[in-house]
Amino acid sequence: MTDKPSHLPERLAFLADLNAARYITEGLLTGKEDVPAIALNKVTEPLPRDEARGALMPVRGLTEDAMHAFRDEKVTAADAWLAPRIHATLRLSRREAADRRLWNYLALGVAPDYVVWRHMTEPRKGEAPRVAATRFRGAADTQAFARLWWAAELFRNGSDYGPVVKVCAQQDMLNTALRLSVIDHRPTAQALVELIGRGTVRTGREINALVKAVNASAATLMYDVMAPDIERDGRPMAQWIEAAEWAPAVPRRALPEGPDEERAPEDSVATLTEHFSELFAGAPVRGKNTDDNESD
C-alpha cells in the first residue's frame, strides 16, 4: 500500500447528493480528469462520531491493493476480493449503510480512481469508454461501493464471507439479486449460493432464469414460512461494530470474519435449495438448446 496522498484527509465524511453531482463531470466519467479533492472536501460533512471505523486510509488502502492485485485480470474479479473486506473494514449497521452520503464520499472523495478503473466500459465502435454516473452517485445495487457492501451483508452466512465470494464471482447474480427484496431472507440467499456451488447454474443466462423464477415464485409462496430463519439478534452486530475500536486491519490473503451471528438454518437452506432447483428445471433459459457451452 502506498503512503496517504497529501490531498486526502484523515477521516471519512458525508457528501450530500447535490454536492456530489457537481463533481461528476464529463471529464471524470471519461477518465480524463480527476476530482478536485481540496474543493470537494470543503463541502463535506463530518461523521457524527469520532470512531476508529471512520478512518479513511484503511478503505483507501483496500482500493489500492485491489487495483494492484487485479491489474492483470478482468477487473470484475476484484469484486469478490473487495466486498467482504470493505464490509469488515467499515463495520456499518444497515441503517448507517442506507445513508447515500457516505457512499458518495467513498466514490468521489476517497477512491474515484478505483471507480474509473473498475467501471470504465470497454471501447466500442462509435462509443468512447466511460463510467456511468450512477457508479459514483446511485442506488445501492449500482453505486460502486454500496453494491459491494450490500452484497457482503446480504450473502454472508453469519460471520462467514465465503458465500459472498461465490456470489461476487458471478456478476449476473450480483447485479440481479441485489434488486430483489427476497434476498433479505437469509435462507433464500444461501440457497442461491448453494446452487452456484453445485454448478446447477453456471452461465449468465442460467442465473438470470433462476433469479427470475425465484422472484416470480415469491409472489405466491412465502419463503419465510416455507423455510423459516431464526429470529435475528442485534447484539452480535453491535458488539462487532464496537470491536472496530481495537480490531486489526483486515487480512489481505485470508477472508476476514463478520459479526458472530448464527448461520442460516441448514434445514431451511436445504428446503429452498431443492425448491429452487425444481423451479430452475422448468424455467426457460434463452439459448439453452443452442448454446449449452456458453460461459461468462
Side-chain angles (χ1 to χ4, degrees):
M1 186 178 72
T2 60
D3 295 334
K4 180 171 77 69
S6 59
H7 64 272
L8 289 178
E10 296 293 332
R11 299 190 56 75
L12 301 173
F14 289 142
L15 180 63
D17 272 350
L18 287 177
N19 288 328
R22 295 164 48 190
Y23 295 96
I24 304 175
T25 63
E26 184 67 15
L28 175 64
L29 297 179
T30 55
K32 298 176 181 177
E33 298 176 1
D34 200 355
V35 176
I38 295 176
L40 180 140
N41 279 296
K42 289 181 179 179
V43 297
T44 61
E45 307 165 54
L47 299 181
R49 291 174 292 277
D50 186 20
E51 298 173 309
R53 62 197 177 116
L56 183 147
M57 275 312 293
V59 179
R60 175 65 200 178
L62 285 174
T63 62
E64 291 182 0
D65 289 349
M67 288 187 287
H68 176 75
F70 297 95
R71 66 192 183 280
D72 297 325
E73 302 181 39
K74 288 183 64 174
V75 294
T76 55
D79 289 352
W81 185 89
L82 190 55
R85 291 169 175 83
I86 283 287
H87 188 274
T89 295
L90 291 173
R91 298 202 181 204
L92 302 171
S93 67
R94 290 193 178 188
R95 182 174 183 178
E96 291 170 327
D99 192 332
R100 288 166 52 122
R101 296 177 299 166
L102 177 62
W103 306 120
N104 291 342
Y105 186 71
L106 288 182
L108 289 162
V110 178
D113 53 341
Y114 166 81
V115 180
V116 171
W117 173 83
R118 168 60 184 85
H119 292 289
M120 181 69 73
T121 59
E122 295 291 333
R124 295 179 181 176
K125 186 176 181 179
E127 296 182 10
R130 63 184 291 114
V131 181
T134 53
R135 299 301 187 179
F136 289 97
R137 182 181 72 110
D141 61 341
T142 56
Q143 202 273 353
F145 291 104
R147 67 191 285 271
L148 297 180
W149 190 94
W150 282 103
E153 174 65 12
L154 294 171
F155 284 100
R156 66 182 173 85
N157 197 359
S159 64
D160 180 14
Y161 286 116
V164 179
V165 174
K166 292 181 181 178
V167 166
C168 290
Q170 294 282 356
Q171 288 293 304
D172 287 277
M173 182 64 78
L174 174 59
N175 294 335
T176 304
L178 288 183
R179 301 188 182 105
L180 307 180
S181 60
V182 293
I183 298 301
D184 195 34
H185 179 239
R186 296 195 309 159
T188 294
Q190 294 308 311
L192 293 177
V193 174
E194 179 66 21
L195 290 177
I196 292 174
R198 288 183 180 183
T200 302
V201 289
R202 299 173 293 107
T203 69
R205 291 176 180 178
E206 289 174 347
I207 288 172
N208 288 330
L210 169 65
V211 172
K212 185 176 180 179
V214 168
N215 195 48
S217 176
T220 56
L221 290 177
M222 298 182 65
Y223 293 155
D224 56 344
V225 175
M226 179 181 181
D229 196 358
I230 61 170
E231 185 174 348
R232 300 294 292 273
D233 182 352
R235 288 174 295 180
M237 174 64 79
Q239 292 167 354
W240 186 68
I241 291 173
E242 182 182 353
E245 293 301 311
W246 57 84
V250 296
R252 265 43 177 182
R253 295 184 181 276
L255 281 177
E257 292 188 1
D260 189 23
E261 297 175 336
E262 288 192 53
R263 297 170 65 89
E266 292 184 4
D267 289 348
S268 293
V269 174
T271 296
L272 288 183
T273 299
E274 295 309 312
H275 176 63
F276 294 165
S277 182
E278 293 172 3
L279 288 178
F280 175 68
V285 179
R286 185 167 59 90
K288 185 174 183 180
N289 295 325
T290 61
D291 197 12
D292 289 337
N293 294 321
E294 176 194 6
S295 60
D296 287 336

